[in-house]
Amino acid sequence: MKEKIRSLLKKRKAIMLVHNYQPPEIQDIADLCGDSLELSIRAAQTNAEIIVFCGVHFMAETASILSPYKTVLLPHKDAGCPMADMVTPEALKDKLDKLPPMPVVTYVNSTAAVKALSTICCTSANAIEVVNSLDAQEVLMVPDRNLAWYTASHTRKKVHVWNGYCPVHDLLTQEDVKKVKQIYPDAVFMAHPECRPEVLALADNVFSTSGMIRFARESKNRTFIVGTEVGLLYPLKKANPEKDFYPASGDMECPDMKKITLHDIVRSLELMEGEVKVPEEIQRPALKAVQRMVDLSL
Ligand code: 13P
Ligand code: SF4
């Protein structure tokens, strides 16, 4: 099946972009595995005619926003992100009516329609840099309250917080982390900024998913507790076979990130099924916000 996918990709002049949380067998045949920022940058720069996106819907939409003349395929149509659905364009407009004018900084984990109303996008890898790049002294961050609180604690700007969250990261508690720390007292605890503030307070480092892979590679430590979706354990171990990684909680599995199978990828490439296309009236304004973030990160 893996060989079939690689030959279909070649035949179709397609590139396969894979998020770090995807199942191992999908990561193993990717052209690029990465975090949301790396995947967005690659989607903006590729010459391929077709992008097969193995991740969730907002990631395929972001690729379509950045490359509107390419075909973007999401091999499973139901792979969504509950956090992205926690802000709608209507609710955002209502909120903006009640606030003084200020930039809207939108986490890429959001719909294209929300991005279209935004000043700039951010990912977990660059949220602080994005907020600090703006002239304004106050910003509204949507939809992740945990990322917004984390950013607020690292900037002088006033951050207005939208009350959304990732159901996978938000369930991690201090008690979960303390239990694992008791078993591995010398381990470094790395946490994702989608975790709650009291959990981040226990973290030795806070990183995006690829940030964790890089840090573990460069660190002299041998043992790590990982405060993010459990799929990241696979690329962490692959990049650092001599080191040990333990999940902060075995419950941190994102069902949406596990929906795509090798079968789905074959079907999608054979039948050109699962195209994600952002309509032009949304793509144009959304591109401004996404491109502004990409330009800042290049
Ligand atoms: P990053 O890979 O950008 O850290 O994102 C985490 C995430 O939750 C994606 O859905
Ligand atoms: Fe969305 Fe959380 Fe799953 Fe990422 S891990 S896709 S933020 S629900």
Side-chain angles (χ1 to χ4, degrees):
M1 191 91 71
K2 289 179 179 175
E3 278 166 25
K4 190 167 183 179
I5 292 171
R6 286 308 320 168
S7 89
L8 278 165
L9 287 164
K10 202 170 168 191
K11 186 171 138 201
R12 295 270 192 213
K13 296 193 175 66
I15 187 175
M16 188 163 127
L17 303 182
V18 175
H19 187 265
N20 288 325
Y21 294 156
Q22 288 285 294
E25 64 276 16
I26 297 182
Q27 296 200 26
D28 284 345
I29 52 169
D31 289 293
L32 176 76
C33 277
D35 66 7
S36 311
L37 182 62
E38 292 165 337
L39 295 172
S40 301
I41 291 173
R42 184 66 171 265
Q45 291 176 339
T46 180
N47 290 325
E49 289 163 21
I50 297 167
I51 299 172
V52 181
F53 217 115
C54 296
V56 291
H57 192 264
F58 75 79
M59 296 179 173
E61 268 193 340
T62 304
S64 168
I65 290 166
L66 284 160
S67 292
Y69 304 112
K70 296 188 193 298
T71 302
V72 180
L73 300 175
L74 179 68
H76 195 301
K77 66 172 176 41
D78 298 331
C81 169
M83 170 156 61
D85 298 329
M86 290 181 190
V87 54
T88 61
E90 296 71 29
L92 178 55
K93 279 183 202 156
D94 271 3
K95 177 82 179 173
L96 288 171
D97 284 344
K98 292 180 189 116
L99 286 172
M102 69 181 70
V104 180
V105 178
T106 297
Y107 195 23
V108 284
N109 302 36
S110 56
T111 61
V114 167
K115 289 183 177 78
L117 297 175
S118 309
T119 313
I120 187 166
C121 285
C122 73
T123 75
S124 59
N126 62 12
I128 298 165
E129 187 192 352
V130 164
V131 166
N132 284 338
S133 75
L134 297 167
D135 271 344
Q137 284 315 301
E138 294 186 38
V139 303
L140 170 64
M141 284 187 83
V142 301
D144 187 2
R145 64 185 182 204
N146 291 322
L147 181 68
W149 285 325
Y150 171 69
T151 307
S153 67
H154 287 81
T155 179
R156 291 212 174 116
K157 298 186 194 286
K158 181 174 162 113
V159 178
H160 296 259
V161 177
W162 190 270
N163 196 22
Y165 58 92
C166 163
V168 179
H169 288 82
D170 197 67
L171 62 72
L172 183 65
T173 64
Q174 280 205 333
E175 288 61 45
D176 295 326
V177 178
K178 282 177 185 166
K179 266 191 219 160
V180 188
K181 273 197 159 190
Q182 235 165 18
I183 308 173
Y184 306 106
D186 297 332
V188 172
F189 173 42
M190 309 185 287
H192 194 279
E194 288 176 16
C195 295
R196 295 183 193 185
E198 66 270 23
V199 168
L200 295 184
L202 295 179
D204 296 297
N205 300 97
V206 177
F207 290 119
S208 76
T209 56
S210 288
M212 288 186 196
I213 298 172
R214 272 190 294 275
F215 175 77
R217 201 185 288 135
E218 284 153 23
S219 169
K220 288 196 175 70
N221 282 79
R222 289 191 51 88
T223 314
F224 301 84
I225 300 168
V226 183
T228 193
E229 208 271 346
V230 290
L232 192 71
L233 294 169
Y234 178 70
L236 276 168
K237 189 72 185 168
K238 199 171 167 181
N240 302 281
E242 74 295 356
K243 297 183 181 178
D244 294 317
F245 301 93
Y246 301 97
S249 157
D251 295 336
M252 292 178 77
E253 186 173 85
C254 173
D256 284 276
M257 280 286 180
K258 313 300 173 200
K259 283 192 174 148
I260 298 173
T261 63
L262 293 175
H263 270 107
D264 294 329
I265 303 170
V266 170
R267 200 187 52 243
S268 179
L269 274 164
E270 276 181 345
L271 307 175
M272 294 299 286
E273 203 180 270
E275 182 172 0
V276 173
K277 178 113 193 102
V278 177
E280 202 185 337
E281 66 277 13
I282 294 176
Q283 184 269 336
R284 277 171 180 265
L287 178 62
K288 279 194 193 147
V290 181
Q291 192 68 52
R292 193 164 166 183
M293 170 192 82
V294 169
D295 291 345
L296 197 68
S297 310
L298 285 177

